Amino acid sequence: MKSILKSAASLLPPAVRRAASGAVLDLASLPERLRDPDRRDEPWQTLHNVGGGDFAAAGRHNLDLLTRYAGLTPSSRVLDIGCGAGRMAAPLVYVLGANGGYVGFDVSRAAIRACRQRLGRARPDFRFVHADVRNREYRASGAVAETAFVFPTADGEIDIAMATSVFSHMRLDSIAHYLREAARSLKPGGRFLFTAFALTEERVARIEAGRSPMRFKPWKDGAWVVDPRSPERAIAHPLSALKAATAAAGLDLPNGVAFGCWLPPSAYSGGQDLFIAVKPPAGSRP
Ligand SMILES: C[S@@+](CC[C@H](N)C(=O)[O-])C[C@H]1O[C@@H](n2cnc3c(N)ncnc32)[C@H](O)[C@@H]1O
């Protein structure tokens, strides 16, 4: 029965499928959200676009990563790429001081509206920008190609950029462009924390052996996707290609990559694979 429902759902257009699966997740998590006072004001799944799970807890988890690995302080200027409904912005409201800064952008108008409504009053200085960019899964009607989008940032104004669970919905040429835009936006020495699904030969063998809860299938150029009809639903790219795109953008990966729990064994507690890229300090390269 479950598999029949899944096959039927995969025939729906992405926006309808996302709304339907969001509604199901919302209903399933309702009792828990009503029981737990911390979870009562969560934006509904259909709005927040961030997959299942505890919205606030996921935000705290990512905040901890930013503090530990990206050197977040109250005076940091933060760029949140694909900010969704503010899972990261919500805890940053209490962390960033008046001399810090936050700009988040997303292709989802509903998500940006939710951020402005929920967080704008507490932090009128936070900027939430709607990006009219085309992504087949999240905004098929977007006017601008991902590969042509210019981030709403000045050169070198950002201390910390992040893209959590965004590159897992983008093709490689788009990721390469976003990495270049992030590098442009960062100050020398700034950091870019991003997550993705990364493949090595050994990991592909584990997927083929059925050890991944995510049903990835081979697609093209070494990428694997969950749904070939809508590749942006979830895309895994070769680790070598992600590393090459990071290097081509002028960013270093001094600590490599921490593999996440989507494909055990994992090196940290997050779902997707974690990359902490660094823009080299001025004068550090010949
Ligand atoms: C799984 S959600 C993650 C949201 C948020 N980063 C978080 O961790 O809570 C993916 C988000 O990426 C956004 N998105 C997809 N493609 C994008 C693009 N090309 N540029 C900016 N945002 C994008 C979607 O609208 C969605 O809000």
Side-chain angles (χ1 to χ4, degrees):
M1 181 65 178
K2 219 172 169 186
S3 66
I4 296 175
L5 281 177
K6 269 194 172 166
S7 320
S10 68
L11 297 175
L12 297 168
V16 178
R17 176 175 37 70
R18 290 191 61 73
S21 75
V24 170
L25 287 168
D26 268 341
L27 282 177
S29 65
L30 188 62
E32 200 186 326
R33 287 188 286 120
L34 289 176
R35 245 191 333 266
D36 180 349
D38 280 352
R39 295 194 59 182
R40 270 184 213 147
D41 73 338
E42 276 184 13
W44 278 46
Q45 200 80 29
T46 40
L47 266 188
H48 72 216
N49 269 316
V50 287
D54 181 329
F55 188 82
R60 285 194 297 271
H61 168 82
N62 286 334
L63 183 68
D64 180 51
L65 295 178
L66 285 186
T67 310
R68 275 204 277 166
Y69 301 118
L72 179 74
T73 69
S75 59
S76 298
R77 302 190 66 80
V78 175
L79 167 66
D80 193 356
I81 297 163
C83 60
R87 191 160 66 159
M88 278 313 301
L92 287 173
V93 161
Y94 305 102
V95 173
L96 295 177
N99 55 348
Y102 173 94
V103 55
F105 71 83
D106 201 286
V107 300
S108 162
R109 227 183 256 288
I112 290 298
R113 204 178 305 123
C115 288
R116 288 182 186 150
Q117 281 166 358
R118 293 178 68 238
L119 308 169
R121 200 168 316 140
R123 289 304 296 255
D125 57 323
F126 277 31
R127 280 205 298 142
F128 296 105
V129 179
H130 176 243
D132 191 8
V133 169
R134 201 155 50 248
N135 176 285
R136 287 239 305 250
E137 177 70 17
Y138 285 93
R139 188 171 172 79
S141 63
V144 180
E146 286 176 329
T147 48
F149 180 58
V150 178
F151 288 0
T153 47
D155 295 1
E157 69 159 320
I158 296 296
D159 295 297
I160 300 173
M162 65 182 146
T164 53
S165 191
V166 180
F167 289 175
S168 40
H169 305 285
M170 289 171 62
R171 297 172 193 226
L172 194 62
D173 56 349
S174 299
I175 295 176
H177 176 73
Y178 271 42
L179 281 160
R180 286 192 295 273
E181 273 296 289
R184 175 188 66 73
S185 311
L186 283 172
K187 293 177 184 167
R191 287 175 178 236
F192 181 20
L193 182 152
F194 62 92
T195 65
F197 296 121
L199 298 171
T200 59
E201 269 181 32
E202 196 208 335
R203 299 187 105 203
V204 165
R206 268 188 271 138
I207 294 173
E208 285 172 331
R211 293 183 51 200
S212 164
M214 302 204 46
R215 304 223 174 116
F216 280 115
K217 306 166 188 70
W219 187 51
K220 56 181 183 186
D221 302 330
W224 286 51
V225 298
V226 163
D227 180 358
R229 278 167 297 194
S230 182
E232 281 85 352
R233 187 165 161 195
I235 313 187
H237 295 287
L239 176 59
S240 54
L242 291 168
K243 282 185 168 173
T246 308
L251 298 171
D252 296 335
L253 284 170
N255 300 310
V257 178
F259 288 136
C261 318
W262 72 276
L263 183 57
S266 53
Y268 87 118
S269 57
Q272 299 184 8
D273 306 321
L274 177 68
F275 297 69
I276 315 281
V278 182
K279 179 164 171 172
S284 67
R285 286 207 169 145

